Amino acid sequence: GQAFRADITSPAYQAMADAMAVAYPGEELQYAGQGGSIPLCNTLAALYPQAEILLIGLSEPEAQIHAVNESVSPEELERLSVAEALFLSNYAVG
């Protein structure tokens, strides 16, 4: 698929950044452009140009994403779940 670049200046991204700051206190939010894009992103962006597309990866260094022994920390799952719940709550109000 073609590369996809999300607009990290959108209101949705700011709402997610705010939610992540609560879920990950003391951590700095980082944006990373890496790996292959999900081909559906460009299709959705073309069909719905006003849509804000967020791509969120659940990964910590020990996760070994796509390796035979891939894993995800339960603590990481909990933190990201909190962030997503806060995002949905805050963005719906905003």
Side-chain angles (χ1 to χ4, degrees), residues 14-24 82-88 90:
Q14 185 57 57
M16 181 55 83
D18 294 344
M20 293 280 227
V22 173
Y24 295 84
V82 167
E84 289 191 32
L86 289 169
F87 164 75
L88 291 170
N90 295 339

Side-chain angles (χ1 to χ4, degrees), residues 30-45:
Q30 297 179 13
Y31 299 100
Q34 63 185 26
S37 285
I38 301 169
L40 179 60
C41 292
N42 285 314
T43 301
L44 290 173

Side-chain angles (χ1 to χ4, degrees), residues 16 20 23-24 29-30 32 34 38 54-67 69-84:
M16 181 55 83
M20 293 280 227
Y24 295 84
L29 181 65
Q30 297 179 13
Q34 63 185 26
I38 301 169
L54 300 171
L55 300 174
I56 300 166
L58 179 60
S59 173
E60 74 280 352
E62 296 79 31
Q64 301 181 32
I65 298 301
H66 303 308
N69 56 346
E70 175 178 354
S71 67
V72 177
S73 160
E75 208 173 74
E76 184 72 6
L77 283 171
E78 181 180 2
R79 286 177 151 199
L80 193 56
S81 296
V82 167
E84 289 191 32

